[in-house]
Amino acid sequence: MKLSLYEIAEVVGARNDVSQFEDSPIHAIEFDSRKITSGDLFLPLKGTRDGHEFIPTAFENGAVATFSRIELDEVPYILVKDPLSAFQALAKYYLEKMAVDVIAVTGSNGKTTTKDMIHDVLATTYKTYKTQGNYNNEIGLPYTVLHMPDDTQKIVLEMGQDHLGDIDLLSKIAQPKIGIVTLIGEAHLEFFGSREKIAQGKMQIVNGMAADGTLIAPADKIINAFLPSKQKIVRFGPDQDIFLTTLVERKDSLQFAVNFMDGLIELPVTGKYNATNAMLAAYVGQLEGVADEVIASALKHLKLTKNRTEWKKASNGADILADVYNANPTAMKLILETFLAIPANEGGRKIALLADMKELGENSVQMHSDMIMAINPEDLDYLICYGEDIAELAQLASQMFPLGKVYYFKKTGQEDQFEDLVKQVKTLLQPADQILLKGSNSMHLDKVVKALEA
């Protein structure tokens, strides 16, 4: 990190005279006192406990100074009204100082994968850094910026949102050159109230963008009211500015072509939505001057952050497509589309186990019921539903499927048929079958996966 104590104090508007302390170079900034090493600056944040309680520990571990909202004795400190706001202002300044190009990615689904793909494409040509793990909020994004290597030329920042205004803050810190909105879904609908509000929040990605920036956004009419008037706008989807021209889906890979590049692109992951994510990465690569053949090679040898959607093997040899850590209607439709498009194993059947999707608000039952439009008895042999809000979907499906092909297991405040669910799945699943499991993390379908693997 190319910052010193005096420089940081000036940037954040220190309320105390730091000239009484030595102008030490700052190696890193940490908000966990246990991670502090010699030469670091400590950031005390409010959590279940006030981070100021850990200032002594930070100095014991080698901190040269700390941010503080209270006056301190005997240790170097930078007095500020709010340490987190100071941290965010410092991240904004540091991006400007280091002249790093920012590519920002948000969306209800696919933002982590798209971020990884863009990073791998740009890293072929530039010194590139990206959001690590899920550090995509008001703490994680500035932390990512202030931990990027000194020689970084491009940084790919993921932006998450739980409430309206989150993306506005992150965009104004990052000031992206290119902003990507992958998809407007229903994630956190309970907190936003409508897809329109979710779209409004996601489109705030342009709020910190310069007038010569580029916004890449889906051909979803719901965002039209929030499109910027200054920045260049590129829409993606059928018959839009950029789109897929061909697509072949396989169990473990994809092959596709796009309208702005020659040749086929190979991708070592499955799912039509991943072809769209890779298309976005390829387009960003082109905008940044990466050669087409280099883009194709980067995508072919992609290294993703641990994929939440992955194929596993049951102990009897059956194929398990597990996507059990997050769920909303858009994501569930996409994974069903992918699962049903993949050829069945010879002599095998297709089974889907769907569980409740959480945080959907007052229309949750209807949104679960609407999932019937993504389920075709001609492509799916068995449907298993587990939860409370998904009960009506199971009832609708039982009217479409042959008798005995739909199962429903309750999970309510009074009754949880989880053990019966596991027994039924283990009894039903045969060695040549493929089974999809999709539901919110709190439904614990990961335990079903482990039971099938055991």
Side-chain angles (χ1 to χ4, degrees), residues 238-308:
D239 300 321
Q240 298 295 311
D241 300 311
I242 59 175
F243 56 89
L244 300 172
T245 56
T246 63
L247 173 65
V248 178
E249 297 187 69
R250 306 186 184 102
K251 178 183 171 185
D252 297 308
S253 64
L254 296 167
Q255 185 183 72
F256 65 95
V258 295
N259 67 309
F260 56 89
M261 278 175 59
D262 294 329
L264 294 173
I265 297 174
E266 299 277 349
L267 205 62
V269 293
T270 191
K272 180 180 179 179
Y273 49 91
N274 277 322
T276 299
N277 296 336
M279 175 184 70
L280 300 179
Y283 188 74
V284 171
Q286 275 201 345
L287 289 180
E288 294 300 286
V290 181
D292 287 0
E293 61 272 17
V294 176
I295 292 172
S297 178
L299 293 173
K300 184 175 182 179
H301 301 96
L302 189 65
K303 296 287 189 296
L304 290 177
T305 298
K306 182 171 172 55
N307 199 345
R308 289 178 172 176

Side-chain angles (χ1 to χ4, degrees), residues 145-416:
V145 168
L146 292 167
H147 282 75
M148 66 182 177
D150 291 346
D151 61 354
T152 300
Q153 297 171 294
K154 312 282 182 182
I155 187 167
V156 190
L157 296 175
E158 181 179 326
M159 295 182 175
Q161 92 169 352
D162 291 329
H163 301 89
L164 187 63
D166 290 347
I167 303 295
D168 173 70
L169 170 67
L170 300 179
S171 178
K172 288 175 179 175
I173 295 170
Q175 301 177 82
K177 175 184 180 182
I178 301 171
I180 299 103
V181 179
T182 62
L183 185 146
I184 305 297
E186 303 86 358
H188 307 299
L189 188 58
E190 183 178 8
F191 305 125
F192 284 86
S194 68
R195 265 188 89 232
E196 287 78 8
K197 284 293 183 183
I198 293 173
Q200 181 183 356
K202 295 296 186 186
M203 293 299 289
Q204 289 177 343
I205 196 169
V206 302
N207 288 7
M209 191 183 294
D212 60 353
T214 300
L215 171 70
I216 305 172
D220 188 335
K221 293 179 181 178
I222 203 164
I223 70 172
N224 289 353
F226 309 111
L227 290 171
S229 57
K230 296 180 180 178
Q231 291 83 7
K232 177 183 177 182
I233 301 170
V234 177
R235 305 296 290 269
F236 64 88
D239 300 321
Q240 298 295 311
D241 300 311
I242 59 175
F243 56 89
L244 300 172
T245 56
T246 63
L247 173 65
V248 178
E249 297 187 69
R250 306 186 184 102
K251 178 183 171 185
D252 297 308
S253 64
L254 296 167
Q255 185 183 72
F256 65 95
V258 295
N259 67 309
F260 56 89
M261 278 175 59
D262 294 329
L264 294 173
I265 297 174
E266 299 277 349
L267 205 62
V269 293
T270 191
K272 180 180 179 179
Y273 49 91
N274 277 322
T276 299
N277 296 336
M279 175 184 70
L280 300 179
Y283 188 74
V284 171
Q286 275 201 345
L287 289 180
E288 294 300 286
V290 181
D292 287 0
E293 61 272 17
V294 176
I295 292 172
S297 178
L299 293 173
K300 184 175 182 179
H301 301 96
L302 189 65
K303 296 287 189 296
L304 290 177
T305 298
K306 182 171 172 55
N307 199 345
R308 289 178 172 176
T309 304
E310 55 186 332
W311 284 99
K312 295 173 176 282
K313 275 287 183 183
S315 59
N316 69 353
D319 292 320
I320 305 169
L321 183 57
D323 190 349
V324 297
Y325 296 108
N326 189 24
N328 59 60
T330 300
M332 188 171 279
K333 288 174 185 175
L334 288 171
I335 195 65
L336 276 166
E337 180 182 273
T338 289
F339 180 65
L340 297 178
I342 294 168
N345 297 329
E346 185 175 353
R349 305 164 303 173
K350 284 186 174 287
I351 303 168
L353 166 53
L354 307 180
D356 275 2
M357 301 173 280
K358 300 300 185 181
E359 297 181 356
L360 295 182
E362 60 183 14
N363 295 320
S364 180
V365 172
Q366 183 62 49
M367 290 183 182
H368 282 81
S369 300
D370 289 346
M371 206 55 55
I372 197 70
M373 304 301 294
I375 298 170
N376 187 345
E378 294 181 3
D379 300 321
L380 190 64
D381 296 287
Y382 290 91
L383 175 65
I384 305 169
C385 296
Y386 170 57
E388 183 173 10
D389 290 355
I390 206 167
E392 191 170 309
L393 172 64
Q395 184 177 11
L396 290 171
S398 66
Q399 299 170 23
M400 295 170 51
F401 281 74
L403 187 66
K405 300 293 185 179
V406 177
Y407 296 87
Y408 170 62
F409 296 89
K410 294 180 181 179
K411 179 179 171 58
T412 65
Q414 296 76 34
E415 187 175 4
D416 188 351

Side-chain angles (χ1 to χ4, degrees), residues 56-97:
T57 303
F59 279 96
E60 289 172 8
N61 290 340
V64 295
T66 181
F67 280 116
S68 179
R69 56 179 167 75
I70 57 176
E71 293 186 0
L72 302 174
D73 296 321
E74 300 179 356
V75 296
Y77 70 103
I78 299 173
L79 183 65
V80 293
K81 182 178 180 181
D82 175 33
L84 177 57
S85 296
F87 186 53
Q88 293 165 347
L90 184 62
K92 178 180 179 181
Y93 164 81
Y94 198 57
L95 284 170
E96 295 170 349
K97 173 181 177 174

Side-chain angles (χ1 to χ4, degrees), residues 113-125:
T113 301
T114 304
K115 169 206 71 181
D116 289 342
M117 291 175 172
I118 293 171
H119 170 272
D120 285 12
V121 167
L122 296 181
T124 61
T125 309

